Amino acid sequence: MGRKIAITGMGIISSIGRNVEENYASLVASTPGISDIEFLETRHRGELKVGEIKISNEDLISELGLPEDNNYARTTLLGIKAAQEAVQHAGIKDLNACRTGLISSTSVGGMDVTEKYFYDYEHQPGKQKYIAAHDAGHSSLVIAEVLGLKGLVSTISTACSSAANAIMMGAKLIQSGVLDRVIVGGTDGLSKFTLNGFKTLMIVTDSYNTPFDNDRKGLNLGEAAAFLVLESEEVVKKENKKILAYLSGYGNANDAHHQTASSDDGTGAYLAMEKALKVSGLHTQEIDYINAHGTATPNNDLSEGRAMIRIFGEENVPEFSSTKAFTGHTLAAAAAIEAVYSILAINNGVIFPNLNFKTPMQEFDLIPVTTVKYKEINHVLSNSFGFGGNCSTLIFSKS
Amino acid sequence: MKPVYVNSAVCISAQDTLNEGFFQEMKPPTSTVLLNAIAPNYKDFIPPAQIRRMSKTVKMSAVAAHKAMQEAGIEMPDAIIVGTGMGCEEDSERFLSNVIRNEEEFLTPTHFIQSTHNTVAGQIALANSCHAYNFTYVNPGSSLEMSLLDAKLQLEHKEAKTVLVGATDEKATRTMELYRLNATIKKEEDLPVDFLNSASEGVVWGEGSAFFVLSSENSESTCAQLQDITFINTLEETEVSDFISEFLSGNNLHASDVDAVILGFSGDLRSDGYYRAAQPLFENALQLYFKHLSGEFNTASGFAFFMATQILKRQEVPEVMKINTDLKKDSIRNILIYNQLHGEDHSLVLLREA
């Protein structure tokens, strides 16, 4: 269908690695990043496990060489790290040499600092600078500023599908000729607000998450940031860029069932996958691997499983896995880190394992890939579903 | 380029904008730094049991979206796109307050569930069983403009025939206290505000919900055409003139072709300079301002967009919005809106008469 967009760079930081290489090494070594809480100050330490990045905000600031007097929340710091790696990886010397934009996404925003000082600001004048850092969009403006970007900057916040939506919107802006190049992705740091929020919904496990397992008890929360650089055909040709992969399909649909729960038959998921396949022009048999949303909540995995069966047919669901047993559920960043993993899968010809799997779900016959598996991968379908019924699917293809 | 029609425009704001007769009746509030949106009679639109549980932004949006679809004569849009700066801040504050005060114990999920930024768009989809494309943009000052751009591209590429686009923000108590603390909001002693020549920092903060149905087909209800949009994260005052001229020339216009320009003067000494830098380009245009009526907030440009559609439809301008009161125009063929927030997220929106 001729709508594919070239991906020329990527950057990532997650609980399984501080950059692309480290993440890949952990994935093929089956080394997860779920652990006890060390940095987040919460009463749930020792009780809940998370995908925490073992570095403090202060150390991130000094590692990134940022001015000490800043008002950057954790989400922003992680975003800067990943965005810088992506821009460097894409070999961009002058970001503003052509029409460049940034579409980031987040659900946490500046909440990790807000929750520290919310009722104390009057007594801590030195911390009042963080008031302006609370809004979701603030992180994007800062990331753009640190990158030295002057252009179209926007932020998407649709819960757990956010980064997928940022990626697809970026692609559309290039296809319509509004931009020549765009940095797209998402970032979310850990916060008490989200940890407690998910806990009260009773969809958090007190152990290690087990996607698509019959006895799954819920998710582990995680934190991460990842960005891709998308560039137009003209820029790729002119600068002789190496293309990592193509974004060849995308779709967004709404489940319209319930604010937080997915419908039993996975309507939203089904429609999103259907749209993405249509945009890509691919047949279902051409999908070699599905990187599932697979949060290990009772509701999601059932709903997503049903939707996959509806699209592909029970006997023909491609090999699939959820990488959330590695990283935890990184909320708005999830689709972005999983985009990086999808591209790594294609370029290294490998399917990453769905860790912690023991017992197939009784509702259907779907068994994820449970060990590192090497095979030729040409097309990967990646799902991300969020609150508010927001369902998004991306398809990546070999270049 | 395919035309993009604005087939309906509905606004809930600090002015009585839901009321037919509001146009020449608007009055700027002068004695308060916090403006409340005039609430519609929610019971006419939402079951009472639900009203109690809904936050202001969700309620306002439910009504505005419903009326916008009704006015445009559509049952189901092909896409729902919402812009918001603060999202569901009331629910967010309530959950956070409980987390802090109860030290992370005895918590219930309701306010957490309702605090995600895309709750408004999600609730509209739910109310209409709408499975279509559903996005929420949240950049501080340009979320409506990004929503409009997204909608325009979908209409132009035939991915949709009708798109419901909205912008909404509510004031939340603690956030307002914090904004007063960090001088985002003016001090009472700086009232009344001379919006066009302010000598004090800070703004008067408002709230509201504005929803529009954009379509690739015009109809009886069409009030304007959306010609083009652009926005940029950051700009120097010296770059404003070029920013505007380049945008206009990309639409085959000179500044002298613009009949009316709406400027986002907010009464904040620190950032109003941008608008003063734009004024010289528009000596022969009707220069208008609006934040003395709507207040400043992340999606205040929704009020401006709404007013632009009404001005183009009626070919009349509310006296209270005029900056250069002596200038008269025989007809208003187009309107340019220039807005920014705290000196960032500069946007230009160009509308034409239907």
Side-chain angles (χ1 to χ4, degrees):
Chain A
M1 260 183 118
R3 292 222 254 169
K4 51 187 195 179
I5 293 287
I7 301 163
T8 55
M10 51 190 193
I12 179 173
I13 179 167
S14 76
S15 61
I16 64 169
R18 305 270 173 99
N19 53 47
V20 173
E21 265 108 279
E22 284 183 16
N23 272 263
Y24 180 69
S26 300
L27 289 167
V28 290
S30 295
T31 308
I34 310 296
S35 63
D36 285 319
I37 300 171
E38 270 173 58
F39 289 87
L40 184 66
E41 282 160 30
T42 164
R43 87 179 299 127
H44 302 300
R45 266 192 204 175
E47 183 195 318
L48 296 175
K49 301 200 195 306
V50 294
E52 185 175 51
I53 300 169
K54 303 302 183 190
I55 185 171
S56 67
N57 287 9
E58 292 70 40
D59 286 344
L60 261 173
I61 288 166
S62 87
E63 202 181 280
L64 292 168
L66 296 168
E68 261 180 47
D69 183 27
N70 64 71
N71 67 348
Y72 304 161
R74 191 168 177 80
T75 294
T76 304
L77 297 170
L78 297 175
I80 292 170
K81 174 83 176 66
Q84 281 183 337
E85 187 189 2
V87 169
Q88 201 178 42
H89 195 199
I92 299 173
K93 302 281 181 321
D94 178 4
L95 205 49
N96 299 313
C98 56
R99 295 166 309 163
T100 304
L102 166 74
I103 308 202
S104 182
S105 55
T106 179
S107 62
V108 172
M111 189 58 89
D112 76 297
V113 285
T114 303
E115 65 193 14
K116 284 203 183 91
Y117 309 117
F118 198 53
Y119 288 115
D120 287 336
Y121 276 120
E122 282 85 349
H123 308 126
Q124 300 206 53
K127 305 291 183 201
Q128 283 171 15
K129 59 184 182 174
Y130 291 113
I131 294 172
H134 174 73
D135 290 349
H138 182 259
S139 54
S140 313
L141 287 177
V142 171
I143 293 169
E145 193 186 1
V146 173
L147 290 176
L149 170 66
K150 205 155 166 169
L152 189 154
V153 175
S154 196
T155 316
I156 289 183
S157 194
T158 55
C160 313
S161 59
S162 295
N165 292 341
I167 291 168
M168 80 175 79
M169 193 56 209
K172 290 208 261 178
L173 289 170
I174 293 182
Q175 275 158 4
S176 0
V178 173
L179 294 175
D180 303 310
R181 160 166 73 206
V182 64
I183 301 158
V184 289
T187 170
D188 260 338
L190 284 174
S191 72
K192 279 194 307 207
F193 184 93
T194 29
L195 189 63
N196 282 285
F198 279 94
K199 185 167 192 289
T200 58
L201 282 170
M202 311 227 283
I203 52 175
V204 176
T205 177
D206 52 6
S207 172
Y208 297 95
N209 75 86
T210 60
F212 295 103
D213 190 289
N214 200 50
D215 305 314
R216 63 198 185 282
K217 290 214 208 71
L219 55 91
N220 293 114
L221 204 57
E223 60 181 351
F227 287 93
L228 306 179
V229 177
L230 307 181
E231 294 188 293
S232 70
E233 256 185 74
E234 287 78 18
V235 175
V236 168
K237 276 204 190 90
K238 188 168 141 215
E239 301 187 16
N240 211 13
K241 287 279 173 83
K242 177 165 183 282
I243 301 172
L244 299 177
Y246 285 107
L247 175 69
S248 55
Y250 47 80
N252 172 270
N254 203 280
D255 202 29
H257 173 75
H258 182 272
Q259 173 71 358
T260 53
S262 309
S263 59
D264 281 341
D265 61 355
T267 300
Y270 170 83
L271 291 171
M273 285 193 271
E274 188 184 55
K275 277 194 199 184
L277 282 163
K278 190 154 169 235
V279 167
S280 70
L282 294 169
H283 290 297
T284 51
Q285 303 100 284
E286 293 181 85
I287 301 294
D288 299 303
Y289 165 47
I290 297 178
N291 182 291
H293 187 54
T295 52
T297 63
N299 178 244
N300 176 80
D301 294 0
L302 177 61
S303 179
E304 185 174 8
R306 289 229 169 92
M308 291 197 294
I309 288 171
R310 280 174 68 190
I311 289 270
F312 294 96
E314 181 134 26
E315 311 298 310
N316 296 308
V317 173
E319 296 187 276
F320 71 96
S321 68
S322 162
T323 44
K324 289 189 169 72
F326 277 99
T327 57
H329 185 7
T330 57
L331 306 181
I337 69 171
E338 287 155 25
V340 173
Y341 297 163
S342 300
I343 296 165
L344 288 171
I346 289 172
N347 289 335
N348 295 282
V350 56
I351 294 180
F352 306 118
N354 188 115
L355 300 176
N356 307 337
F357 178 83
K358 283 207 192 65
T359 316
M361 285 166 66
Q362 59 197 22
E363 289 90 347
F364 40 54
D365 215 1
L366 287 182
I367 300 183
V369 174
T370 54
T371 53
V372 176
K373 180 171 178 177
Y374 291 94
K375 78 174 229 203
E376 187 176 333
I377 309 264
N378 294 307
H379 306 286
V380 177
L381 181 143
S382 172
N383 284 331
S384 296
F385 310 134
F387 286 177
N390 208 289
C391 298
S392 295
T393 299
L394 301 175
I395 297 179
F396 298 95
S397 299
K398 197 176 249 182
S399 71
Chain B
M1 192 120 74
K2 281 193 78 181
V4 173
Y5 298 104
V6 184
N7 284 357
S8 65
V10 176
C11 183
I12 295 175
S13 69
Q15 303 296 324
D16 204 3
T17 37
L18 277 185
N19 195 325
E20 276 281 321
F22 83 95
F23 200 73
Q24 295 288 6
E25 299 297 315
M26 296 189 290
K27 281 193 183 56
T30 51
S31 56
T32 165
V33 294
L34 295 174
L35 303 186
N36 294 322
I38 296 178
N41 199 353
Y42 289 118
K43 287 199 218 95
D44 292 343
F45 303 93
I46 306 166
Q50 279 180 41
I51 295 177
R52 261 184 302 119
R53 286 177 296 147
M54 286 164 105
S55 69
K56 211 187 312 180
T57 204
V58 171
K59 279 190 299 219
M60 289 192 296
S61 302
V63 173
H66 174 82
K67 282 174 135 306
M69 288 198 287
Q70 211 176 36
E71 209 176 278
I74 60 161
E75 299 244 333
M76 191 90 94
D78 297 324
I80 297 172
I81 310 173
V82 174
T84 177
M86 285 200 208
C88 300
E89 190 64 18
E90 270 182 10
D91 282 288
S92 188
E93 280 190 8
R94 283 217 194 95
F95 189 71
L96 181 58
S97 167
N98 292 340
V99 166
I100 294 173
R101 297 213 199 276
N102 298 346
E103 295 179 334
E104 302 177 75
E105 287 187 302
F106 319 123
L107 300 169
T108 56
T110 315
H111 295 299
F112 175 71
I113 292 169
Q114 288 168 180
S115 72
T116 53
H117 287 75
N118 64 320
T119 298
V120 166
Q123 289 292 310
I124 295 172
L126 207 51
N128 294 286
S129 296
C130 182
H131 295 296
Y133 181 95
N134 192 297
F135 265 45
T136 300
Y137 293 104
V138 303
N139 228 51
S142 57
S143 60
L144 169 63
E145 288 71 19
M146 183 69 208
S147 303
L148 290 169
L149 178 60
D150 186 351
K152 178 172 178 281
L153 293 177
Q154 290 200 40
L155 293 169
E156 282 170 1
H157 294 117
K158 299 195 179 148
E159 285 164 29
K161 270 223 205 100
T162 59
V163 182
L164 177 67
V165 176
T168 180
D169 270 302
E170 62 187 5
K171 299 192 324 290
T173 316
R174 182 57 180 157
T175 304
M176 293 299 102
E177 285 171 7
L178 296 179
Y179 277 11
R180 284 184 189 250
L181 196 59
N182 77 350
T184 298
I185 292 177
K186 274 193 195 307
K187 299 194 183 19
E188 265 89 358
E189 55 247 36
D190 292 323
L191 294 174
V193 187
D194 179 355
F195 277 82
L196 301 172
N197 291 295
S198 178
S200 59
E201 290 182 349
V203 301
V204 169
W205 203 264
E207 60 182 7
S209 225
F211 272 77
F212 313 96
V213 171
L214 302 189
S215 175
S216 49
E217 287 166 6
N218 65 349
S219 72
E220 276 158 23
S221 64
T222 305
C223 47
Q225 278 189 58
L226 173 61
Q227 176 81 13
D228 202 2
I229 311 127
T230 191
F231 48 97
I232 192 168
N233 56 332
T234 184
L235 211 58
E236 304 291 325
E237 273 182 36
T238 49
E239 294 171 319
V240 169
S241 194
D242 283 344
F243 176 60
I244 296 175
S245 304
E246 273 162 34
F247 173 70
L248 291 173
S249 82
N251 286 284
N252 299 316
L253 293 170
H254 291 293
S256 51
D257 298 318
V258 172
D259 291 326
V261 63
I262 301 180
L263 299 168
F265 278 99
S266 64
D268 176 29
L269 171 69
R270 294 167 298 199
S271 54
D272 275 353
Y274 287 104
Y275 303 117
R276 277 190 276 281
Q279 282 178 295
L281 282 173
F282 300 108
E283 270 161 15
N284 292 313
L286 291 168
Q287 292 181 20
L288 310 172
Y289 67 128
F290 68 99
K291 287 179 187 168
H292 55 309
L293 302 167
S294 65
E296 171 74 288
F297 53 102
N298 301 81
T299 45
S301 56
F303 182 91
F305 191 88
F306 170 74
M307 287 313 304
T309 62
Q310 301 306 294
I311 291 167
L312 287 168
K313 184 167 93 172
R314 298 171 202 233
Q315 288 292 304
E316 228 191 286
V317 176
E319 288 301 315
V320 73
M321 283 179 72
K322 290 184 182 177
I323 296 175
N324 48 0
T325 45
D326 294 333
L327 208 111
K328 299 258 182 293
K329 284 270 179 188
D330 290 328
S331 70
I332 304 168
R333 298 157 301 166
N334 54 44
I335 299 184
L336 178 72
I337 305 171
Y338 172 36
N339 191 45
Q340 41 87 354
L341 180 66
H342 309 320
E344 291 175 315
D345 279 347
H346 297 252
S347 65
L348 295 169
V349 178
L350 182 64
L351 292 109
R352 281 175 41 194
E353 60 179 339

Short mmCIF file of all heavy atoms in Angstrom, two decimals, chain A residues 125-152:
data_model
loop_
_atom_site.label_atom_id
_atom_site.label_comp_id
_atom_site.label_asym_id
_atom_site.label_seq_id
_atom_site.Cartn_x
_atom_site.Cartn_y
_atom_site.Cartn_z
N PRO A 125 9.99 26.60 49.59
CA PRO A 125 10.06 27.48 48.42
C PRO A 125 11.03 26.99 47.36
O PRO A 125 10.81 27.17 46.17
CB PRO A 125 10.54 28.83 48.99
CG PRO A 125 10.50 28.72 50.45
CD PRO A 125 10.28 27.30 50.85
N GLY A 126 12.10 26.32 47.80
CA GLY A 126 13.09 25.82 46.84
C GLY A 126 12.54 24.75 45.92
O GLY A 126 13.10 24.46 44.87
N LYS A 127 11.43 24.14 46.32
CA LYS A 127 10.86 23.06 45.51
C LYS A 127 9.73 23.55 44.61
O LYS A 127 9.20 22.80 43.79
CB LYS A 127 10.29 21.95 46.42
CG LYS A 127 11.29 21.39 47.42
CD LYS A 127 12.38 20.58 46.75
CE LYS A 127 13.30 19.99 47.79
NZ LYS A 127 14.62 19.62 47.25
N GLN A 128 9.35 24.82 44.77
CA GLN A 128 8.20 25.32 44.01
C GLN A 128 8.41 25.27 42.50
O GLN A 128 7.46 25.28 41.73
CB GLN A 128 7.86 26.75 44.45
CG GLN A 128 7.12 26.75 45.79
CD GLN A 128 6.95 28.14 46.36
OE1 GLN A 128 7.11 29.14 45.66
NE2 GLN A 128 6.63 28.21 47.64
N LYS A 129 9.67 25.15 42.10
CA LYS A 129 9.93 25.05 40.66
C LYS A 129 9.28 23.80 40.06
O LYS A 129 9.05 23.72 38.85
CB LYS A 129 11.44 25.01 40.41
CG LYS A 129 12.15 23.85 41.09
CD LYS A 129 13.66 23.90 40.89
CE LYS A 129 14.33 22.69 41.54
NZ LYS A 129 15.78 22.63 41.26
N TYR A 130 8.98 22.80 40.89
CA TYR A 130 8.39 21.56 40.38
C TYR A 130 6.90 21.69 40.09
O TYR A 130 6.31 20.80 39.47
CB TYR A 130 8.62 20.40 41.36
CG TYR A 130 10.06 19.98 41.46
CD1 TYR A 130 10.79 20.17 42.62
CD2 TYR A 130 10.71 19.39 40.37
CE1 TYR A 130 12.13 19.80 42.71
CE2 TYR A 130 12.04 19.01 40.44
CZ TYR A 130 12.75 19.23 41.61
OH TYR A 130 14.07 18.87 41.69
N ILE A 131 6.29 22.78 40.54
CA ILE A 131 4.86 22.95 40.26
C ILE A 131 4.62 22.95 38.75
O ILE A 131 3.68 22.34 38.26
CB ILE A 131 4.32 24.26 40.91
CG1 ILE A 131 4.37 24.15 42.44
CG2 ILE A 131 2.89 24.53 40.45
CD1 ILE A 131 4.05 25.44 43.16
N ALA A 132 5.49 23.63 38.05
CA ALA A 132 5.35 23.72 36.59
C ALA A 132 5.67 22.40 35.89
O ALA A 132 5.39 22.24 34.71
CB ALA A 132 6.26 24.82 36.05
N ALA A 133 6.27 21.45 36.62
CA ALA A 133 6.68 20.19 35.99
C ALA A 133 5.61 19.11 36.08
O ALA A 133 5.80 18.00 35.59
CB ALA A 133 7.96 19.68 36.65
N HIS A 134 4.48 19.43 36.68
CA HIS A 134 3.46 18.40 36.91
C HIS A 134 2.78 17.92 35.63
O HIS A 134 2.52 16.74 35.45
CB HIS A 134 2.42 18.94 37.90
CG HIS A 134 1.26 18.01 38.08
ND1 HIS A 134 1.37 16.83 38.79
CD2 HIS A 134 -0.01 18.05 37.62
CE1 HIS A 134 0.21 16.21 38.78
NE2 HIS A 134 -0.66 16.92 38.07
N ASP A 135 2.46 18.85 34.75
CA ASP A 135 1.67 18.53 33.56
C ASP A 135 2.36 17.51 32.66
O ASP A 135 3.56 17.55 32.46
CB ASP A 135 1.42 19.79 32.73
CG ASP A 135 0.45 20.73 33.42
OD1 ASP A 135 -0.17 20.32 34.41
OD2 ASP A 135 0.36 21.89 32.96
N ALA A 136 1.54 16.65 32.07
CA ALA A 136 2.05 15.63 31.17
C ALA A 136 2.90 16.22 30.05
O ALA A 136 3.96 15.71 29.71
CB ALA A 136 0.89 14.84 30.58
N GLY A 137 2.44 17.33 29.49
CA GLY A 137 3.13 17.89 28.34
C GLY A 137 4.48 18.52 28.65
O GLY A 137 5.30 18.74 27.75
N HIS A 138 4.72 18.79 29.92
CA HIS A 138 5.96 19.45 30.29
C HIS A 138 7.17 18.60 29.89
O HIS A 138 8.18 19.11 29.41
CB HIS A 138 5.97 19.72 31.81
CG HIS A 138 7.20 20.43 32.29
ND1 HIS A 138 8.25 19.80 32.92
CD2 HIS A 138 7.55 21.74 32.22
CE1 HIS A 138 9.20 20.68 33.22
NE2 HIS A 138 8.79 21.87 32.81
N SER A 139 7.05 17.28 30.08
CA SER A 139 8.18 16.40 29.76
C SER A 139 8.58 16.52 28.30
O SER A 139 9.76 16.56 27.97
CB SER A 139 7.84 14.95 30.11
OG SER A 139 6.64 14.55 29.47
N SER A 140 7.59 16.63 27.42
CA SER A 140 7.90 16.73 25.99
C SER A 140 8.60 18.04 25.66
O SER A 140 9.56 18.06 24.88
CB SER A 140 6.62 16.64 25.15
OG SER A 140 5.83 15.58 25.60
N LEU A 141 8.12 19.12 26.25
CA LEU A 141 8.75 20.42 25.98
C LEU A 141 10.20 20.42 26.45
O LEU A 141 11.08 20.96 25.80
CB LEU A 141 7.96 21.55 26.65
CG LEU A 141 6.61 21.89 26.00
CD1 LEU A 141 5.89 22.98 26.80
CD2 LEU A 141 6.79 22.36 24.56
N VAL A 142 10.45 19.78 27.60
CA VAL A 142 11.83 19.72 28.11
C VAL A 142 12.70 18.84 27.22
O VAL A 142 13.82 19.21 26.88
CB VAL A 142 11.86 19.20 29.56
CG1 VAL A 142 13.30 18.95 30.00
CG2 VAL A 142 11.20 20.20 30.50
N ILE A 143 12.18 17.68 26.84
CA ILE A 143 12.96 16.79 25.97
C ILE A 143 13.33 17.53 24.69
O ILE A 143 14.49 17.50 24.24
CB ILE A 143 12.19 15.50 25.64
CG1 ILE A 143 12.01 14.65 26.91
CG2 ILE A 143 12.92 14.67 24.58
CD1 ILE A 143 11.03 13.48 26.75
N ALA A 144 12.38 18.26 24.12
CA ALA A 144 12.65 19.02 22.90
C ALA A 144 13.73 20.07 23.15
O ALA A 144 14.64 20.25 22.35
CB ALA A 144 11.37 19.69 22.40
N GLU A 145 13.62 20.73 24.29
CA GLU A 145 14.57 21.78 24.62
C GLU A 145 15.98 21.21 24.77
O GLU A 145 16.94 21.73 24.21
CB GLU A 145 14.14 22.44 25.93
CG GLU A 145 14.87 23.73 26.22
CD GLU A 145 14.53 24.29 27.61
OE1 GLU A 145 13.75 23.66 28.35
OE2 GLU A 145 15.06 25.36 27.93
N VAL A 146 16.10 20.11 25.50
CA VAL A 146 17.42 19.50 25.71
C VAL A 146 18.02 18.99 24.40
O VAL A 146 19.22 19.09 24.16
CB VAL A 146 17.33 18.36 26.75
CG1 VAL A 146 18.64 17.61 26.86
CG2 VAL A 146 16.94 18.92 28.12
N LEU A 147 17.16 18.50 23.52
CA LEU A 147 17.65 18.03 22.21
C LEU A 147 18.00 19.20 21.30
O LEU A 147 18.65 19.03 20.28
CB LEU A 147 16.58 17.18 21.50
CG LEU A 147 16.27 15.80 22.07
CD1 LEU A 147 15.12 15.17 21.29
CD2 LEU A 147 17.48 14.88 22.03
N GLY A 148 17.52 20.39 21.65
CA GLY A 148 17.73 21.55 20.79
C GLY A 148 16.76 21.59 19.63
O GLY A 148 17.02 22.17 18.58
N LEU A 149 15.61 20.97 19.81
CA LEU A 149 14.62 20.90 18.73
C LEU A 149 13.71 22.11 18.74
O LEU A 149 13.21 22.51 19.78
CB LEU A 149 13.78 19.63 18.91
CG LEU A 149 12.55 19.49 18.02
CD1 LEU A 149 12.96 19.35 16.58
CD2 LEU A 149 11.72 18.27 18.41
N LYS A 150 13.48 22.66 17.54
CA LYS A 150 12.53 23.77 17.40
C LYS A 150 11.56 23.33 16.31
O LYS A 150 11.90 23.28 15.13
CB LYS A 150 13.29 25.01 16.94
CG LYS A 150 12.62 26.29 17.32
CD LYS A 150 13.63 27.40 17.40
CE LYS A 150 12.95 28.74 17.45
NZ LYS A 150 13.89 29.81 17.79
N GLY A 151 10.35 22.98 16.71
CA GLY A 151 9.42 22.49 15.69
C GLY A 151 8.13 22.04 16.31
O GLY A 151 7.75 22.46 17.40
N LEU A 152 7.46 21.13 15.63
CA LEU A 152 6.18 20.64 16.09
C LEU A 152 6.42 19.67 17.25
O LEU A 152 7.08 18.65 17.07
CB LEU A 152 5.46 19.93 14.94
CG LEU A 152 4.00 19.52 15.17
CD1 LEU A 152 3.27 19.43 13.84
CD2 LEU A 152 3.90 18.17 15.89
#
